[in-house]
Every structure is written in structure tokens, then in C-alpha cells.
Amino acid sequence: MISRGNRGNALEALVAGLRGTPTDRADWQAVIALANRTLLTPDLFSSLARAGQIHQLPEDVREYLRFVHDCNRERNLRLRTQLGEAVAALNRSDISPLLLKGAVPLFLSPAGLVPSRMTSDLDLAVNPRQETVARDCLEELGYVDVAGGRGMARQQDAGMLELRSTRADCYQPPKLIQRHGLRVKIPPAQSRAMHWMVHDLLKEGDYWRGRIDLRHLHDLARLAENEDVDWMSLHGSMSDRSARNALETQLLAMHHFFGTRIPAKCAKRPIVRFQHWRRVFTATHPIIGAPLRLAGNLMWGIWRFSRAYGLARRGPLDVLRRIARTLFDPRTKI
């Protein structure tokens, strides 16, 4: 477990490793613990290997990272096979599913390679009119609903499959891609970036709560590195000032941690710079920064449950349970 006083050094060393430049005298036990928590251990290995720096690590650290990377590679191969089977079944019913999040790089990666990103499940979306037929197709493959409405699963698979309805308010229309006899729709890079930002900063409240999903931040940085993302166009598409503030705060974090080039105007406004400082400070100083995070959690919890859940229609125990889950859910955030 990472000692609280060492969190900042571990975070700095992890980010340096993800950038392919390992730091000298890193506390690798703390770095690995943080990488495991943020689901970035395979990416850490692959980043150092691509940069030719993996042999700079102590042997036991190198072998542990290689072991986790190889296990994740085998799991991703199974996930890709599972994804191909599901897409083929949907195609036979003339459905071309929209791939989301981790399913996109799994599908697009070359046959002999898979991405090092840890993927928890497979996210697919279909037209609402096709959802019933799509569910029937998956049930014929043996999928059953998971308790709690979190998706569909089979005992033999490496992960769950989540089927959802496409929305009419997509930022940009998806592209139809055909590969290996399979047809899917892939959101453009800017739509994928918007999805991650809206999900983390607004839906999960990371902007108010002062949290950072380092894995998604790394995803965004890699996306910006490999594809042409028009951040100003994305900025202009945001619904209101709070959403634009959140986007600018995330861009500043990408620049701070991974050196991503961002529009200069996104780093100037005081509210954005304060929010960025608050997120970095609480991530690197969890004890001193606890009051800041608690205040953000309280504001987010009050806003979310008063507007989204309808407190008057729920019992007090249910409300308290939801608030506690919001305030103390550790998940993979820092």
C-alpha cells in the first residue's frame, strides 16, 4: 500500500514511466501499487518497452510488469475474440453496432497485436429500434443479464458485454468500418474524447470532486498524440460554461502530466487554473488536501441526489447509502 506521504513521488514516477522516461531512485513498490490501482500497469510496461527503457528497471520490477502485461495481453485477445463473435451475430441480423471506449482499440488493432490498455468490459450501442433484436442475438450466444443491470455475461468469457442505445445527440456521426468481414461503427476521435470527458468530469463529478481518472487521462493523451483532435471545436460544442470549464481543466491536466499540446487560451482563466491545482494537490497530498476533496464531494453529492434521484421519493436509508457510495467510493481515481 502506498504511504500517504509518498503518493506525490509515486505519481510523478508513474507518469514519467508512462512517458517512457523512468526516474532515478523511484520507489517501485509505491509506483506499482499506484499503477495497479489506476489500471495502468500493462501500459507502464509497454511504454517503457517502446522507449527502450524497460531494462533500466530492477529485475524484479521488470519481471512483475512483464507478467501483468502478458496476462493482460491474453485477456485482451480473449476479449477481442468475444467482441468479434458478438459483432458477427449482430451483423447477421443486419445490425452494425457502435463500438465505445475500450472496444474501439480492440477492434482496430492489427491481427497479431492487441492494445496494452486494461479493458474491464465491452461496450456496444445500437439504434433503439434494434435493441430488442440485438439482445435476442446475444441471448442466442448464451449471454444473460447480470444482476444490477450492469450488462450481459457468459461464464466462459473474460469480461461482460454492455449493450446500450445510441443517442441522437452524438457530437459527430460515426464512421462505418469493415474489417475481417465484420461491420461496426466507430466514433470519430473528437467524439471519443468528448465521451471520456463528459463521463468522468460531469457524469461522475470528477470536476467538482477534484478527482483524476489517470487511465482515461492517459487514453486522451494517446488519442491526441495519434489522431487530429480539434480541441477548440470540442470546446465550442460543450453545453454550458461549467462543461467548458471542465474540458479546459482536463486539457490542462493532460498538458501537465503528459505534455499534450493544448490551445493556449485553455490554460489562462483563473477558475480553470484553480481547479487544476486543486485536483493535482489532492492527488499528491491526500492528507492535507482531504478538506478540499471532502468539500467537493459534499457539493457534488448534494447536487446529484437532489436533482437526479429525487430525494423525496426515496427512503432515508437509501439516500444515505447512495451518499456514502459517492463520498467514499475509491475505484480507480486519484
Side-chain angles (χ1 to χ4, degrees), residues 165-217:
S165 298
T166 54
R167 298 180 179 179
D169 58 349
C170 291
Y171 172 49
Q172 290 181 324
K175 299 178 181 179
L176 182 65
I177 303 292
Q178 298 192 46
R179 180 170 293 194
H180 307 302
L182 301 175
R183 303 186 316 276
V184 300
K185 296 175 183 176
I186 302 291
Q190 285 172 219
S191 293
R192 279 178 268 157
M194 185 177 190
H195 176 84
W196 269 318
M197 289 187 173
V198 170
H199 178 271
D200 288 351
L201 277 74
L202 302 179
K203 291 186 177 179
E204 294 205 348
D206 289 358
Y207 173 68
W208 291 280
R209 300 167 70 180
R211 306 190 311 178
I212 299 173
D213 189 316
L214 193 62
R215 181 176 62 140
H216 286 173
L217 197 70

